[in-house]
């Protein structure tokens, strides 16, 4: 799954890993039921609901997409701690290379495991990756029943407002 990335983005969204469906169709967060695109719209990151095949429009808005782990799976819970840790090392290299203002990791468990932060919570993190702020948001997968769409939109909006994105 190729990254949607450019130097010095405002926000680089980072999923845990692509779904098999996304890998097959070639677009991030493409699986029906994934709430990433609706959360972006409801939080004001986009002025309309984008479809996964319109993902390139994010670059114009200063946003990109990558993943902690490149391997596509049916569910992120099959990833090993070793895969997440290795993915975290690769992600840090990528972030230092592309220098986004903010890295928004979409999954608290992935952040905790990949960066050895077992007590991390949602929201802004105290540590930075180089000059990049880190913010943790819930995983928008439809398989994550802990957050309703309204809560996802509110948490995404907190990031947008903190980054002064309009």
């Amino acid at each position: 799954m190729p990254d949607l990335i450019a130097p010095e983005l405002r926000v680089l969204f980072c999923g845990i890993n692509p779904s098999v469906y996304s890998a097959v169709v070639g677009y991030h967060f493409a699986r029906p039921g994934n709430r990433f695109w609706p959360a972006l719209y409801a939080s004001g990151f986009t002025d309309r609901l984008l479809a996964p095949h319109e993902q390139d429009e994010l670059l114009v808005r200063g946003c990109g997409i990558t993943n902690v782990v490149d391997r596509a799976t049916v569910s992120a819970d099959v990833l090993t701690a070793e895969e997440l840790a290795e993915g975290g090392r690769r992600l840090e290299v990528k972030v230092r290379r592309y220098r986004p203002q903010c890295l928004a990791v979409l999954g608290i468990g992935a952040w905790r495991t990949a960066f050895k932060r077992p007590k991390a919570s949602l929201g802004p993190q105290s540590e930075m990756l180089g000059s990049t702020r880190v913010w943790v948001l819930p995983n928008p997968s439809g398989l994550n029943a802990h957050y309703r769409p309204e809560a996802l939109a509110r948490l995404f909006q907190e990031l947008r407002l903190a980054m002064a994105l309009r």
Side-chain angles (χ1 to χ4, degrees), residues 11 25 38 49 55 70 75 78 98 107 109 115 162:
V11 178
V25 300
L49 179 59
Q55 67 184 19
D70 293 332
S75 173
V78 301
Y98 285 96
F115 289 90

Side-chain angles (χ1 to χ4, degrees), residues 103-159:
L103 173 70
V105 179
L106 305 176
I108 186 73
W111 170 253
R112 287 174 176 165
T113 302
F115 289 90
K116 297 179 177 60
R117 303 286 189 267
K119 296 183 182 197
S121 58
L122 293 176
Q125 304 301 299
S126 58
E127 59 272 311
M128 296 178 69
L129 295 181
S131 61
T132 299
R133 284 179 74 180
V134 178
W135 197 285
V136 178
L137 292 167
N139 178 355
S141 168
L143 300 175
N144 181 4
H146 293 104
Y147 292 91
R148 299 186 49 76
E150 305 80 31
L152 281 176
R154 179 181 49 78
L155 293 167
F156 273 63
Q157 183 180 44
E158 288 175 10
L159 167 61

Side-chain angles (χ1 to χ4, degrees), residues 11-92:
V11 178
L12 178 60
F13 290 99
C14 181
I16 301 169
N17 72 310
S19 70
V20 171
Y21 185 88
S22 286
V24 168
V25 300
Y27 300 112
H28 293 275
F29 303 105
R31 183 177 166 168
N34 192 294
R35 299 167 301 169
F36 175 76
W37 300 103
L40 283 185
Y41 173 59
S43 65
F45 271 100
T46 61
D47 56 358
R48 66 181 179 83
L49 179 59
L50 297 177
H53 70 271
E54 297 175 296
Q55 67 184 19
D56 290 346
E57 292 195 27
L58 284 182
L59 290 175
V60 176
R61 293 167 169 84
C63 298
I65 304 173
T66 189
N67 290 289
V68 176
V69 175
D70 293 332
R71 181 169 71 97
T73 61
V74 172
S75 173
D77 63 1
V78 301
L79 298 173
T80 66
E82 293 77 21
E83 281 180 291
L84 288 164
E86 176 58 31
R89 289 187 286 277
R90 284 193 314 271
L91 178 60
E92 185 167 0

